[in-house]
Amino acid sequence: MWKAVLDLLFPPLCLRCGERLGAEERLVCETCWDRARREDRRPILQGEDGAGDGESGPVVRARSANVWNETLGEILHRFKYGGFILLGERLARGMAGTIASDPALRRVDLLVPVPLTRARASERGFNQSAVLASHVSLLLGIPVAERAVRRVGRSRSQTKLTPEGRRRNVRGVFRVRDPSAVRGKRILIVDDVWTTGATAEELARALLAGGAREVYAVAAARASGPRGSS
């Protein structure tokens, strides 16, 4: 009864468009989710037949669930910086669908979210990549190793850096905590936005140095410009 009264006095509104939410909608309306959905059908990085070609860098194959658009960007911003963690479940659905439809990604053994510095995690209160990875894990049954890698030292936000600046900014910032956790495994890096791939590739180098067999990557969105952190 009290919920009905509160909904009447203070109706729940969509975070993105401000329209009233339906009974089954949470935080963002279905219309905005539909506008945010632009399925990314082509790989960001791809070796031959889904395997590394020896020249494509440390990440064998990278995919994103959606191509960046304004609506998706606003939802991701609310999720990442606004503290609306519940949005992660819906974002992860698209990522899980991308993984399930890709034969190379389906065979991974372990999910590793991109780690934050201790200061950044404390400031934000959560790691958005870890939230996404946990939901993907629940959907697909792939285990998560959130603490397999730590981020050391200080690095600036990647948002306004050039591609070369991004690569320099993350060089050497990742360390594998326990090589036995990653040794011999096919690992899927989980991140929110893929921009230049600098962060994922540096993390992949650390995982390979720690004994990982192969490293793949998946993101909620592929950015067409310097909008994300990776």
Side-chain angles (χ1 to χ4, degrees), residues 122 187 200:
S122 177
I187 294 176

Side-chain angles (χ1 to χ4, degrees), residues 12 27 35 47 49 51 53-54 60-61 63 74 93 118 120 123 129 131 135 139-140 153 157 164 209 219 223:
L27 298 178
R35 289 172 179 162
D49 298 324
D53 58 12
V60 172
R61 184 173 175 86
R63 294 289 306 272
E74 290 180 24
R93 285 190 214 171
R118 184 176 299 179
R120 185 64 55 82
E123 172 189 337
S129 297
V131 171
H135 286 298
L139 290 166
L140 298 181
S157 169
E164 179 56 33

Side-chain angles (χ1 to χ4, degrees), residues 113-118 120 148-158 161 165-177 191 197-207 209 229-230:
V114 175
L116 297 178
T117 62
R118 184 176 299 179
R120 185 64 55 82
V149 182
R150 64 190 178 97
R151 197 162 186 153
V152 298
R154 295 183 178 181
S155 57
R156 298 163 55 194
S157 169
Q158 297 276 75
L161 299 179
R166 288 168 182 259
R167 286 189 287 271
R168 289 197 303 267
N169 190 46
V170 295
R171 195 164 293 152
V173 301
F174 298 112
R175 298 283 188 278
V176 173
R177 293 175 182 270
D191 204 358
T199 301
E201 290 182 352
E202 190 64 24
L203 176 52
R205 289 187 185 94
L207 288 165
S229 62
S230 298

Side-chain angles (χ1 to χ4, degrees), residues 1-212:
M1 182 184 70
W2 283 111
K3 183 180 185 302
V5 172
L6 289 173
D7 285 351
L8 181 65
L9 296 175
F10 306 101
L13 305 178
C14 173
L15 291 174
R16 196 262 166 184
C17 70
E19 292 295 320
R20 183 165 183 164
L21 294 174
E24 302 301 319
E25 295 174 332
R26 296 290 182 270
L27 298 178
V28 173
C29 68
E30 286 302 315
T31 299
C32 285
W33 280 118
D34 287 342
R35 289 172 179 162
R37 190 179 300 112
R38 289 186 185 173
E39 188 177 348
D40 195 357
R41 297 182 181 277
R42 61 185 180 88
I44 303 169
L45 298 174
Q46 178 179 3
E48 297 176 1
D49 298 324
D53 58 12
E55 299 178 357
S56 58
V59 177
V60 172
R61 184 173 175 86
R63 294 289 306 272
S64 70
N66 291 282
V67 178
W68 183 280
N69 62 77
E70 183 178 353
T71 302
L72 179 59
E74 290 180 24
I75 291 172
L76 281 164
H77 192 273
R78 292 281 192 171
F79 167 57
K80 186 172 180 177
Y81 300 110
F84 292 96
I85 301 177
L86 291 178
L87 293 172
E89 189 276 334
R90 186 64 177 264
L91 291 166
R93 285 190 214 171
M95 300 171 74
T98 298
I99 296 166
S101 66
D102 190 306
L105 300 192
R106 281 205 308 267
R107 64 183 184 177
V108 300
D109 305 305
L110 194 66
L111 304 176
V112 172
V114 175
L116 297 178
T117 62
R118 184 176 299 179
R120 185 64 55 82
S122 177
E123 172 189 337
R124 194 169 295 167
F126 67 101
N127 177 347
Q128 73 279 357
S129 297
V131 171
L132 293 171
S134 67
H135 286 298
V136 170
S137 177
L138 288 172
L139 290 166
L140 298 181
I142 306 171
V144 182
E146 183 178 350
R147 295 179 58 81
V149 182
R150 64 190 178 97
R151 197 162 186 153
V152 298
R154 295 183 178 181
S155 57
R156 298 163 55 194
S157 169
Q158 297 276 75
T159 306
K160 297 181 180 180
L161 299 179
T162 64
E164 179 56 33
R166 288 168 182 259
R167 286 189 287 271
R168 289 197 303 267
N169 190 46
V170 295
R171 195 164 293 152
V173 301
F174 298 112
R175 298 283 188 278
V176 173
R177 293 175 182 270
D178 179 10
S180 66
V182 303
R183 188 176 296 120
K185 294 182 179 178
R186 294 185 178 96
I187 294 176
L188 182 62
I189 293 171
V190 179
D191 204 358
D192 56 342
V193 181
W194 178 289
T195 303
T196 65
T199 301
E201 290 182 352
E202 190 64 24
L203 176 52
R205 289 187 185 94
L207 288 165
L208 290 168

